[in-house]
Structures are given as structure tokens and as C-alpha cells.
Amino acid sequence: MSSEAMTQRPGLPPVADSEAWERQLAALRVREKAATRELDAIAAQRRRLPMVEMPDYTLVGAEGPVRLVDVFGGRSQLITYHHMWRDGAAWQCGGCTGHTSQYTRLGFLEPYDARFVIVTQGEIGEALAYRETVGNRMDWYSTAGSDFGADVGAPAGGGFAVNVFLRDGDTVYRTWHTDGRGTEQLSHIFPLIDILPWGRQEEWQDSPPGWPQSPTYSGWLDSPDIARRYGPG
């Protein structure tokens, strides 16, 4: 595109006519479609991963102790989000609290014979009270008295993680795991923000000169923010 076709002010995208804009969008779309095909290929590889048989762990839910196989709720597939936890803290990890706040309707998993739950190292009474405070709607389970969290990448005092399991009768297998930025693909928060003209506005991102940028995480809602927006009061 020639420089004559665009005008620009600091901190704003250049302004182009419709024809020039369509050409740039078409060029970007080639890369977007290639990324979609690559994600399809990754998913195909994921479906071909082997799996690992799990011991018969016992967690604690709202109704008391429960075997891992029963956390499936009769379904064949289970996704667990392992929420970071600090015993006795009024507010738990803002990233985990914000991430899980987006999962308010999970009925779409039922036709796929699957369930999604939260697991934390916190004592179940504290965990359920926090769930209520921040307006989280998923079922929560505690692994405080079990090696389950530590064995799947979410030990006490450690970070967050996502794990996926498959049940065959009473036998449970671990099929997938991710943590860190790997969880972004399970979110609609960042995909929505990333299509905005200014994106996440975090200083690590590759943005044009003059774009608004702030320290990493500064735009994220913290746990008290989530409670004010979605909690009972």
C-alpha cells in the first residue's frame, strides 16, 4: 500500500480507503486461516496422544469425600481447572478468579459426555465460601488431603493448571495437561481483547509506536473486582 493511500495520527491506526483496507484485511486473513488450520492439526495430534492410568484418588466436595471417578458425574470425560490457593487468604489468585468467572454456563458440555469442575488445594469449607464470594458457579472440589493436585502439576503453593481425564468404567486416565499461557485457548477473554485495535495494551506486546501500553496484568480484573461484579452483594 502506498503512503499516499493512508493518513495517520499518533496512537491510532492509519486511515485508508475501503479498497486499500480490504487488501490489507485479505492479506491478514491468509495468516489467520493458516493459524486456524494449524490449530486443527494440533487438535488432531492431541486426539492421538497416549494416556496415563491414574490411582484411585479421593477428593472432597460439598457433600464430603468423593472418588475421582465419581467427580465425572457419570460422564466419560472430565476437565479440571486447578485454582491457585493460599490458606486463610481473603482473596485468592486474581488470574484464576478472573479466568474461571467466564465459565457461567457449561451445559454445552453435556452432549459431549463431559464435565468441567474446579479443583483447589484449599480446605473445602474455605473454597466453597470463596466460590460464593466471587460468584463462581461451577462445582468445586478440594484436593487438600490428597496427592491428586501435586501429581497433575498443581501442588500446594504452586501454580494453576488444566487437566483432562477419560473414564473407562471405574478406571480414570489422564489425557492432557496445560498451564501458563496454554490456558488462553480455553478462554474467550483474550481472544476478544486481542481483536480490539489496541489489543491487550501490555508493554511486552509488539505494537506500533504511540500505542497505549501499560505494565503486564495492569488491565486484568483482580479478585475483589470479580466479587463486586459477579458476587452476591
PDB file of all heavy atoms in Angstrom, residues 135-171:
ATOM      1  N   GLY A 135     -18.914 -15.296  43.145  1.00  0.00           N
ATOM      2  CA  GLY A 135     -19.988 -15.613  42.214  1.00  0.00           C
ATOM      3  C   GLY A 135     -19.673 -16.714  41.226  1.00  0.00           C
ATOM      4  O   GLY A 135     -20.305 -16.802  40.171  1.00  0.00           O
ATOM      5  N   ASN A 136     -18.719 -17.589  41.566  1.00  0.00           N
ATOM      6  CA  ASN A 136     -18.393 -18.693  40.669  1.00  0.00           C
ATOM      7  C   ASN A 136     -19.502 -19.739  40.732  1.00  0.00           C
ATOM      8  O   ASN A 136     -20.036 -20.019  41.797  1.00  0.00           O
ATOM      9  CB  ASN A 136     -17.051 -19.305  41.079  1.00  0.00           C
ATOM     10  CG  ASN A 136     -16.486 -20.237  40.039  1.00  0.00           C
ATOM     11  OD1 ASN A 136     -16.973 -21.350  39.868  1.00  0.00           O
ATOM     12  ND2 ASN A 136     -15.463 -19.792  39.336  1.00  0.00           N
ATOM     13  N   ARG A 137     -19.841 -20.339  39.581  1.00  0.00           N
ATOM     14  CA  ARG A 137     -20.995 -21.233  39.527  1.00  0.00           C
ATOM     15  C   ARG A 137     -20.645 -22.700  39.355  1.00  0.00           C
ATOM     16  O   ARG A 137     -21.526 -23.563  39.399  1.00  0.00           O
ATOM     17  CB  ARG A 137     -21.920 -20.806  38.379  1.00  0.00           C
ATOM     18  CG  ARG A 137     -22.455 -19.396  38.551  1.00  0.00           C
ATOM     19  CD  ARG A 137     -23.441 -19.050  37.455  1.00  0.00           C
ATOM     20  NE  ARG A 137     -23.907 -17.679  37.580  1.00  0.00           N
ATOM     21  CZ  ARG A 137     -24.803 -17.121  36.771  1.00  0.00           C
ATOM     22  NH1 ARG A 137     -25.328 -17.834  35.791  1.00  0.00           N
ATOM     23  NH2 ARG A 137     -25.161 -15.868  36.938  1.00  0.00           N
ATOM     24  N   MET A 138     -19.392 -22.994  39.142  1.00  0.00           N
ATOM     25  CA  MET A 138     -19.025 -24.397  38.936  1.00  0.00           C
ATOM     26  C   MET A 138     -18.929 -25.152  40.252  1.00  0.00           C
ATOM     27  O   MET A 138     -18.791 -24.560  41.319  1.00  0.00           O
ATOM     28  CB  MET A 138     -17.673 -24.469  38.213  1.00  0.00           C
ATOM     29  CG  MET A 138     -17.781 -24.234  36.731  1.00  0.00           C
ATOM     30  SD  MET A 138     -16.159 -24.213  35.982  1.00  0.00           S
ATOM     31  CE  MET A 138     -15.566 -22.633  36.537  1.00  0.00           C
ATOM     32  N   ASP A 139     -18.971 -26.479  40.158  1.00  0.00           N
ATOM     33  CA  ASP A 139     -18.716 -27.312  41.333  1.00  0.00           C
ATOM     34  C   ASP A 139     -17.228 -27.258  41.662  1.00  0.00           C
ATOM     35  O   ASP A 139     -16.373 -27.322  40.772  1.00  0.00           O
ATOM     36  CB  ASP A 139     -19.137 -28.758  41.062  1.00  0.00           C
ATOM     37  CG  ASP A 139     -20.646 -28.914  40.998  1.00  0.00           C
ATOM     38  OD1 ASP A 139     -21.343 -28.172  41.714  1.00  0.00           O
ATOM     39  OD2 ASP A 139     -21.125 -29.756  40.224  1.00  0.00           O
ATOM     40  N   TRP A 140     -16.927 -27.143  42.958  1.00  0.00           N
ATOM     41  CA  TRP A 140     -15.546 -27.093  43.436  1.00  0.00           C
ATOM     42  C   TRP A 140     -15.246 -28.345  44.254  1.00  0.00           C
ATOM     43  O   TRP A 140     -16.109 -28.865  44.964  1.00  0.00           O
ATOM     44  CB  TRP A 140     -15.336 -25.864  44.328  1.00  0.00           C
ATOM     45  CG  TRP A 140     -15.171 -24.561  43.608  1.00  0.00           C
ATOM     46  CD1 TRP A 140     -15.986 -24.039  42.658  1.00  0.00           C
ATOM     47  CD2 TRP A 140     -14.116 -23.616  43.811  1.00  0.00           C
ATOM     48  NE1 TRP A 140     -15.516 -22.815  42.250  1.00  0.00           N
ATOM     49  CE2 TRP A 140     -14.374 -22.525  42.940  1.00  0.00           C
ATOM     50  CE3 TRP A 140     -13.002 -23.562  44.641  1.00  0.00           C
ATOM     51  CZ2 TRP A 140     -13.544 -21.411  42.883  1.00  0.00           C
ATOM     52  CZ3 TRP A 140     -12.175 -22.456  44.588  1.00  0.00           C
ATOM     53  CH2 TRP A 140     -12.439 -21.392  43.709  1.00  0.00           C
ATOM     54  N   TYR A 141     -13.989 -28.783  44.151  1.00  0.00           N
ATOM     55  CA  TYR A 141     -13.511 -29.920  44.928  1.00  0.00           C
ATOM     56  C   TYR A 141     -12.167 -29.569  45.537  1.00  0.00           C
ATOM     57  O   TYR A 141     -11.375 -28.831  44.952  1.00  0.00           O
ATOM     58  CB  TYR A 141     -13.370 -31.166  44.043  1.00  0.00           C
ATOM     59  CG  TYR A 141     -14.685 -31.668  43.507  1.00  0.00           C
ATOM     60  CD1 TYR A 141     -15.206 -31.171  42.315  1.00  0.00           C
ATOM     61  CD2 TYR A 141     -15.417 -32.626  44.203  1.00  0.00           C
ATOM     62  CE1 TYR A 141     -16.419 -31.615  41.823  1.00  0.00           C
ATOM     63  CE2 TYR A 141     -16.634 -33.078  43.713  1.00  0.00           C
ATOM     64  CZ  TYR A 141     -17.136 -32.565  42.526  1.00  0.00           C
ATOM     65  OH  TYR A 141     -18.339 -33.003  42.055  1.00  0.00           O
ATOM     66  N   SER A 142     -11.913 -30.119  46.726  1.00  0.00           N
ATOM     67  CA  SER A 142     -10.640 -29.902  47.401  1.00  0.00           C
ATOM     68  C   SER A 142      -9.766 -31.138  47.278  1.00  0.00           C
ATOM     69  O   SER A 142     -10.235 -32.270  47.440  1.00  0.00           O
ATOM     70  CB  SER A 142     -10.869 -29.593  48.880  1.00  0.00           C
ATOM     71  OG  SER A 142      -9.643 -29.610  49.594  1.00  0.00           O
ATOM     72  N   THR A 143      -8.497 -30.896  46.994  1.00  0.00           N
ATOM     73  CA  THR A 143      -7.515 -31.976  46.968  1.00  0.00           C
ATOM     74  C   THR A 143      -6.508 -31.812  48.097  1.00  0.00           C
ATOM     75  O   THR A 143      -5.401 -32.330  48.043  1.00  0.00           O
ATOM     76  CB  THR A 143      -6.819 -32.033  45.600  1.00  0.00           C
ATOM     77  OG1 THR A 143      -5.994 -33.197  45.537  1.00  0.00           O
ATOM     78  CG2 THR A 143      -5.983 -30.801  45.346  1.00  0.00           C
ATOM     79  N   ALA A 144      -6.925 -31.053  49.151  1.00  0.00           N
ATOM     80  CA  ALA A 144      -6.010 -30.746  50.257  1.00  0.00           C
ATOM     81  C   ALA A 144      -5.499 -32.009  50.944  1.00  0.00           C
ATOM     82  O   ALA A 144      -4.350 -32.056  51.398  1.00  0.00           O
ATOM     83  CB  ALA A 144      -6.706 -29.841  51.274  1.00  0.00           C
ATOM     84  N   GLY A 145      -6.330 -33.039  51.037  1.00  0.00           N
ATOM     85  CA  GLY A 145      -5.907 -34.256  51.710  1.00  0.00           C
ATOM     86  C   GLY A 145      -5.491 -35.358  50.766  1.00  0.00           C
ATOM     87  O   GLY A 145      -5.464 -36.535  51.143  1.00  0.00           O
ATOM     88  N   SER A 146      -5.146 -34.983  49.531  1.00  0.00           N
ATOM     89  CA  SER A 146      -4.841 -35.973  48.503  1.00  0.00           C
ATOM     90  C   SER A 146      -3.603 -35.538  47.726  1.00  0.00           C
ATOM     91  O   SER A 146      -3.279 -34.349  47.677  1.00  0.00           O
ATOM     92  CB  SER A 146      -6.039 -36.107  47.549  1.00  0.00           C
ATOM     93  OG  SER A 146      -5.689 -36.790  46.369  1.00  0.00           O
ATOM     94  N   ASP A 147      -2.932 -36.497  47.128  1.00  0.00           N
ATOM     95  CA  ASP A 147      -1.792 -36.187  46.253  1.00  0.00           C
ATOM     96  C   ASP A 147      -2.231 -35.806  44.840  1.00  0.00           C
ATOM     97  O   ASP A 147      -1.387 -35.527  43.987  1.00  0.00           O
ATOM     98  CB  ASP A 147      -0.860 -37.402  46.163  1.00  0.00           C
ATOM     99  CG  ASP A 147      -0.162 -37.698  47.481  1.00  0.00           C
ATOM    100  OD1 ASP A 147       0.090 -36.750  48.248  1.00  0.00           O
ATOM    101  OD2 ASP A 147       0.126 -38.881  47.738  1.00  0.00           O
ATOM    102  N   PHE A 148      -3.520 -35.780  44.613  1.00  0.00           N
ATOM    103  CA  PHE A 148      -4.021 -35.573  43.256  1.00  0.00           C
ATOM    104  C   PHE A 148      -3.473 -34.297  42.616  1.00  0.00           C
ATOM    105  O   PHE A 148      -2.925 -34.327  41.509  1.00  0.00           O
ATOM    106  CB  PHE A 148      -5.551 -35.541  43.275  1.00  0.00           C
ATOM    107  CG  PHE A 148      -6.170 -35.212  41.946  1.00  0.00           C
ATOM    108  CD1 PHE A 148      -6.010 -36.059  40.864  1.00  0.00           C
ATOM    109  CD2 PHE A 148      -6.929 -34.060  41.782  1.00  0.00           C
ATOM    110  CE1 PHE A 148      -6.598 -35.766  39.635  1.00  0.00           C
ATOM    111  CE2 PHE A 148      -7.511 -33.756  40.563  1.00  0.00           C
ATOM    112  CZ  PHE A 148      -7.348 -34.608  39.486  1.00  0.00           C
ATOM    113  N   GLY A 149      -3.609 -33.148  43.301  1.00  0.00           N
ATOM    114  CA  GLY A 149      -3.140 -31.891  42.729  1.00  0.00           C
ATOM    115  C   GLY A 149      -1.656 -31.916  42.401  1.00  0.00           C
ATOM    116  O   GLY A 149      -1.237 -31.516  41.312  1.00  0.00           O
ATOM    117  N   ALA A 150      -0.862 -32.373  43.355  1.00  0.00           N
ATOM    118  CA  ALA A 150       0.584 -32.429  43.149  1.00  0.00           C
ATOM    119  C   ALA A 150       0.949 -33.357  41.989  1.00  0.00           C
ATOM    120  O   ALA A 150       1.889 -33.081  41.231  1.00  0.00           O
ATOM    121  CB  ALA A 150       1.278 -32.886  44.429  1.00  0.00           C
ATOM    122  N   ASP A 151       0.204 -34.426  41.830  1.00  0.00           N
ATOM    123  CA  ASP A 151       0.529 -35.408  40.795  1.00  0.00           C
ATOM    124  C   ASP A 151       0.146 -34.951  39.385  1.00  0.00           C
ATOM    125  O   ASP A 151       0.590 -35.546  38.404  1.00  0.00           O
ATOM    126  CB  ASP A 151      -0.168 -36.737  41.101  1.00  0.00           C
ATOM    127  CG  ASP A 151       0.428 -37.445  42.315  1.00  0.00           C
ATOM    128  OD1 ASP A 151       1.512 -37.024  42.775  1.00  0.00           O
ATOM    129  OD2 ASP A 151      -0.198 -38.411  42.793  1.00  0.00           O
ATOM    130  N   VAL A 152      -0.686 -33.903  39.296  1.00  0.00           N
ATOM    131  CA  VAL A 152      -1.110 -33.433  37.973  1.00  0.00           C
ATOM    132  C   VAL A 152      -0.679 -31.984  37.725  1.00  0.00           C
ATOM    133  O   VAL A 152      -1.289 -31.257  36.953  1.00  0.00           O
ATOM    134  CB  VAL A 152      -2.642 -33.589  37.775  1.00  0.00           C
ATOM    135  CG1 VAL A 152      -3.028 -35.056  37.803  1.00  0.00           C
ATOM    136  CG2 VAL A 152      -3.429 -32.793  38.811  1.00  0.00           C
ATOM    137  N   GLY A 153       0.409 -31.576  38.371  1.00  0.00           N
ATOM    138  CA  GLY A 153       1.005 -30.276  38.054  1.00  0.00           C
ATOM    139  C   GLY A 153       0.456 -29.100  38.809  1.00  0.00           C
ATOM    140  O   GLY A 153       0.693 -27.953  38.408  1.00  0.00           O
ATOM    141  N   ALA A 154      -0.269 -29.329  39.924  1.00  0.00           N
ATOM    142  CA  ALA A 154      -0.823 -28.230  40.707  1.00  0.00           C
ATOM    143  C   ALA A 154      -0.639 -28.506  42.198  1.00  0.00           C
ATOM    144  O   ALA A 154      -1.608 -28.710  42.927  1.00  0.00           O
ATOM    145  CB  ALA A 154      -2.298 -28.023  40.378  1.00  0.00           C
ATOM    146  N   PRO A 155       0.616 -28.505  42.684  1.00  0.00           N
ATOM    147  CA  PRO A 155       0.865 -28.806  44.089  1.00  0.00           C
ATOM    148  C   PRO A 155       0.463 -27.650  44.998  1.00  0.00           C
ATOM    149  O   PRO A 155       0.235 -26.525  44.537  1.00  0.00           O
ATOM    150  CB  PRO A 155       2.384 -29.020  44.120  1.00  0.00           C
ATOM    151  CG  PRO A 155       2.886 -28.130  43.024  1.00  0.00           C
ATOM    152  CD  PRO A 155       1.851 -28.210  41.938  1.00  0.00           C
ATOM    153  N   ALA A 156       0.384 -27.921  46.288  1.00  0.00           N
ATOM    154  CA  ALA A 156       0.118 -26.863  47.260  1.00  0.00           C
ATOM    155  C   ALA A 156       1.188 -25.790  47.143  1.00  0.00           C
ATOM    156  O   ALA A 156       2.377 -26.095  47.069  1.00  0.00           O
ATOM    157  CB  ALA A 156       0.098 -27.454  48.668  1.00  0.00           C
ATOM    158  N   GLY A 157       0.763 -24.537  47.102  1.00  0.00           N
ATOM    159  CA  GLY A 157       1.702 -23.440  46.950  1.00  0.00           C
ATOM    160  C   GLY A 157       2.193 -23.243  45.535  1.00  0.00           C
ATOM    161  O   GLY A 157       3.012 -22.364  45.270  1.00  0.00           O
ATOM    162  N   GLY A 158       1.705 -24.057  44.611  1.00  0.00           N
ATOM    163  CA  GLY A 158       2.146 -23.975  43.223  1.00  0.00           C
ATOM    164  C   GLY A 158       1.189 -23.182  42.363  1.00  0.00           C
ATOM    165  O   GLY A 158       0.316 -22.468  42.861  1.00  0.00           O
ATOM    166  N   GLY A 159       1.344 -23.322  41.058  1.00  0.00           N
ATOM    167  CA  GLY A 159       0.557 -22.556  40.116  1.00  0.00           C
ATOM    168  C   GLY A 159      -0.748 -23.233  39.742  1.00  0.00           C
ATOM    169  O   GLY A 159      -1.172 -24.212  40.350  1.00  0.00           O
ATOM    170  N   PHE A 160      -1.359 -22.680  38.705  1.00  0.00           N
ATOM    171  CA  PHE A 160      -2.622 -23.207  38.207  1.00  0.00           C
ATOM    172  C   PHE A 160      -2.348 -24.181  37.069  1.00  0.00           C
ATOM    173  O   PHE A 160      -1.257 -24.222  36.506  1.00  0.00           O
ATOM    174  CB  PHE A 160      -3.524 -22.070  37.725  1.00  0.00           C
ATOM    175  CG  PHE A 160      -2.937 -21.279  36.590  1.00  0.00           C
ATOM    176  CD1 PHE A 160      -3.263 -21.579  35.281  1.00  0.00           C
ATOM    177  CD2 PHE A 160      -2.046 -20.235  36.833  1.00  0.00           C
ATOM    178  CE1 PHE A 160      -2.720 -20.858  34.228  1.00  0.00           C
ATOM    179  CE2 PHE A 160      -1.501 -19.506  35.791  1.00  0.00           C
ATOM    180  CZ  PHE A 160      -1.833 -19.819  34.492  1.00  0.00           C
ATOM    181  N   ALA A 161      -3.357 -24.946  36.725  1.00  0.00           N
ATOM    182  CA  ALA A 161      -3.204 -25.927  35.645  1.00  0.00           C
ATOM    183  C   ALA A 161      -4.575 -26.354  35.153  1.00  0.00           C
ATOM    184  O   ALA A 161      -5.590 -26.163  35.834  1.00  0.00           O
ATOM    185  CB  ALA A 161      -2.419 -27.147  36.126  1.00  0.00           C
ATOM    186  N   VAL A 162      -4.586 -26.929  33.983  1.00  0.00           N
ATOM    187  CA  VAL A 162      -5.782 -27.575  33.442  1.00  0.00           C
ATOM    188  C   VAL A 162      -5.408 -29.006  33.094  1.00  0.00           C
ATOM    189  O   VAL A 162      -4.349 -29.252  32.496  1.00  0.00           O
ATOM    190  CB  VAL A 162      -6.308 -26.843  32.197  1.00  0.00           C
ATOM    191  CG1 VAL A 162      -7.430 -27.639  31.539  1.00  0.00           C
ATOM    192  CG2 VAL A 162      -6.792 -25.447  32.555  1.00  0.00           C
ATOM    193  N   ASN A 163      -6.247 -29.935  33.480  1.00  0.00           N
ATOM    194  CA  ASN A 163      -6.045 -31.343  33.147  1.00  0.00           C
ATOM    195  C   ASN A 163      -7.314 -31.923  32.554  1.00  0.00           C
ATOM    196  O   ASN A 163      -8.425 -31.463  32.869  1.00  0.00           O
ATOM    197  CB  ASN A 163      -5.654 -32.146  34.396  1.00  0.00           C
ATOM    198  CG  ASN A 163      -4.210 -31.922  34.797  1.00  0.00           C
ATOM    199  OD1 ASN A 163      -3.300 -32.520  34.233  1.00  0.00           O
ATOM    200  ND2 ASN A 163      -3.998 -31.041  35.772  1.00  0.00           N
ATOM    201  N   VAL A 164      -7.150 -32.918  31.715  1.00  0.00           N
ATOM    202  CA  VAL A 164      -8.280 -33.598  31.093  1.00  0.00           C
ATOM    203  C   VAL A 164      -8.150 -35.094  31.358  1.00  0.00           C
ATOM    204  O   VAL A 164      -7.040 -35.654  31.287  1.00  0.00           O
ATOM    205  CB  VAL A 164      -8.351 -33.312  29.583  1.00  0.00           C
ATOM    206  CG1 VAL A 164      -9.574 -34.003  28.977  1.00  0.00           C
ATOM    207  CG2 VAL A 164      -8.409 -31.812  29.321  1.00  0.00           C
ATOM    208  N   PHE A 165      -9.288 -35.712  31.649  1.00  0.00           N
ATOM    209  CA  PHE A 165      -9.304 -37.127  32.015  1.00  0.00           C
ATOM    210  C   PHE A 165     -10.396 -37.863  31.236  1.00  0.00           C
ATOM    211  O   PHE A 165     -11.400 -37.278  30.835  1.00  0.00           O
ATOM    212  CB  PHE A 165      -9.569 -37.289  33.514  1.00  0.00           C
ATOM    213  CG  PHE A 165      -8.582 -36.557  34.382  1.00  0.00           C
ATOM    214  CD1 PHE A 165      -8.850 -35.265  34.811  1.00  0.00           C
ATOM    215  CD2 PHE A 165      -7.380 -37.151  34.745  1.00  0.00           C
ATOM    216  CE1 PHE A 165      -7.938 -34.573  35.606  1.00  0.00           C
ATOM    217  CE2 PHE A 165      -6.461 -36.471  35.533  1.00  0.00           C
ATOM    218  CZ  PHE A 165      -6.745 -35.181  35.957  1.00  0.00           C
ATOM    219  N   LEU A 166     -10.168 -39.141  31.055  1.00  0.00           N
ATOM    220  CA  LEU A 166     -11.125 -40.035  30.399  1.00  0.00           C
ATOM    221  C   LEU A 166     -11.409 -41.196  31.338  1.00  0.00           C
ATOM    222  O   LEU A 166     -10.486 -41.753  31.945  1.00  0.00           O
ATOM    223  CB  LEU A 166     -10.536 -40.551  29.078  1.00  0.00           C
ATOM    224  CG  LEU A 166     -11.408 -41.494  28.254  1.00  0.00           C
ATOM    225  CD1 LEU A 166     -12.629 -40.769  27.718  1.00  0.00           C
ATOM    226  CD2 LEU A 166     -10.590 -42.092  27.100  1.00  0.00           C
ATOM    227  N   ARG A 167     -12.683 -41.534  31.457  1.00  0.00           N
ATOM    228  CA  ARG A 167     -13.084 -42.636  32.333  1.00  0.00           C
ATOM    229  C   ARG A 167     -13.513 -43.831  31.494  1.00  0.00           C
ATOM    230  O   ARG A 167     -14.294 -43.697  30.554  1.00  0.00           O
ATOM    231  CB  ARG A 167     -14.254 -42.188  33.219  1.00  0.00           C
ATOM    232  CG  ARG A 167     -14.784 -43.271  34.156  1.00  0.00           C
ATOM    233  CD  ARG A 167     -15.922 -42.753  35.019  1.00  0.00           C
ATOM    234  NE  ARG A 167     -17.111 -42.465  34.222  1.00  0.00           N
ATOM    235  CZ  ARG A 167     -18.037 -43.364  33.907  1.00  0.00           C
ATOM    236  NH1 ARG A 167     -17.905 -44.637  34.314  1.00  0.00           N
ATOM    237  NH2 ARG A 167     -19.090 -43.017  33.191  1.00  0.00           N
ATOM    238  N   ASP A 168     -13.009 -44.993  31.860  1.00  0.00           N
ATOM    239  CA  ASP A 168     -13.427 -46.248  31.254  1.00  0.00           C
ATOM    240  C   ASP A 168     -13.887 -47.156  32.387  1.00  0.00           C
ATOM    241  O   ASP A 168     -13.058 -47.767  33.074  1.00  0.00           O
ATOM    242  CB  ASP A 168     -12.287 -46.880  30.463  1.00  0.00           C
ATOM    243  CG  ASP A 168     -12.698 -48.173  29.765  1.00  0.00           C
ATOM    244  OD1 ASP A 168     -13.914 -48.385  29.587  1.00  0.00           O
ATOM    245  OD2 ASP A 168     -11.808 -48.966  29.400  1.00  0.00           O
ATOM    246  N   GLY A 169     -15.182 -47.201  32.617  1.00  0.00           N
ATOM    247  CA  GLY A 169     -15.673 -47.913  33.794  1.00  0.00           C
ATOM    248  C   GLY A 169     -15.237 -47.178  35.049  1.00  0.00           C
ATOM    249  O   GLY A 169     -15.485 -45.989  35.210  1.00  0.00           O
ATOM    250  N   ASP A 170     -14.548 -47.882  35.952  1.00  0.00           N
ATOM    251  CA  ASP A 170     -14.046 -47.274  37.177  1.00  0.00           C
ATOM    252  C   ASP A 170     -12.578 -46.870  37.065  1.00  0.00           C
ATOM    253  O   ASP A 170     -11.965 -46.487  38.064  1.00  0.00           O
ATOM    254  CB  ASP A 170     -14.201 -48.246  38.352  1.00  0.00           C
ATOM    255  CG  ASP A 170     -15.625 -48.276  38.880  1.00  0.00           C
ATOM    256  OD1 ASP A 170     -16.399 -47.349  38.557  1.00  0.00           O
ATOM    257  OD2 ASP A 170     -15.968 -49.233  39.605  1.00  0.00           O
ATOM    258  N   THR A 171     -12.013 -46.945  35.887  1.00  0.00           N
ATOM    259  CA  THR A 171     -10.622 -46.584  35.690  1.00  0.00           C
ATOM    260  C   THR A 171     -10.533 -45.210  35.042  1.00  0.00           C
ATOM    261  O   THR A 171     -11.232 -44.929  34.059  1.00  0.00           O
ATOM    262  CB  THR A 171      -9.902 -47.617  34.799  1.00  0.00           C
ATOM    263  OG1 THR A 171     -10.055 -48.918  35.377  1.00  0.00           O
ATOM    264  CG2 THR A 171      -8.423 -47.283  34.689  1.00  0.00           C
TER     265      THR A 171
END
